[in-house]
Amino acid sequence: MEAQNQPAAGSVRGRVDARRQPRFKIEVDISIHSRTCGVLQGQTVDISESGISAMLRIEVPLGEVVELNFKLPFGSVMLYAMVRQRNAFRYGFQFVESNIVHQVIQTTCRHLAVDKSPVFEP
């Protein structure tokens, strides 16, 4: 599981990724509860402390606040997020609440970052 902070292929040379936190690849099942679309099932792609992306088969309106349910290595997560972007079947969700759930996400991201840290041997 690696940080996803590299610019997309074909992007302008020298462009800086404006994300506040690094993204980490993680593939887990996710359930999205939408007012307009009902309950949707998907698969996550990556996560950061401020959001998550997932592959969905049904279109969810941009700007809608949805309930997300998924399991991370350090616990189950139920929180609200805004649908911020869509690229084909990939959706980006920005978390809109901060509570104890944020600690589970933060712990997972830190664990994923440590997993990819270089190992120094004397």
Side-chain angles (χ1 to χ4, degrees):
M1 298 184 194
E2 59 191 77
Q4 303 288 310
N5 271 349
Q6 301 303 319
S11 65
V12 177
R13 181 175 268 209
R15 181 177 145 195
V16 176
D17 192 342
R19 297 184 192 284
R20 290 178 284 172
Q21 293 97 11
R23 293 183 292 167
F24 301 97
K25 189 174 185 177
I26 188 166
E27 296 177 359
V28 298
D29 292 334
I30 188 168
S31 178
I32 295 99
H33 299 263
S34 162
R35 288 187 319 267
T36 59
C37 303
V39 179
L40 309 171
Q41 301 300 318
Q43 182 78 22
T44 64
V45 177
D46 57 38
I47 190 170
S48 75
E49 290 184 31
S50 60
I52 194 165
S53 66
M55 300 298 288
L56 304 177
R57 293 183 181 154
I58 297 176
E59 187 173 335
V60 180
L62 293 177
E64 181 176 352
V65 175
V66 297
E67 179 184 302
L68 305 178
N69 293 281
F70 53 98
K71 290 184 182 179
L72 294 175
F74 297 97
S76 294
V77 176
M78 190 289 293
L79 52 71
Y80 294 95
M82 181 180 290
V83 183
R84 297 293 288 184
Q85 59 183 330
R86 182 185 80 157
N87 185 355
F89 297 102
R90 182 177 176 156
Y91 286 82
F93 299 92
Q94 181 180 8
F95 304 139
V96 294
E97 62 180 39
S98 60
N99 58 23
I100 194 70
V101 172
H102 185 261
Q103 289 182 328
V104 172
I105 293 167
Q106 188 177 48
T107 301
T108 298
C109 289
R110 288 182 180 166
H111 178 74
L112 293 170
V114 169
D115 282 351
K116 288 299 174 185
S117 296
V119 177
F120 297 101
E121 296 183 21

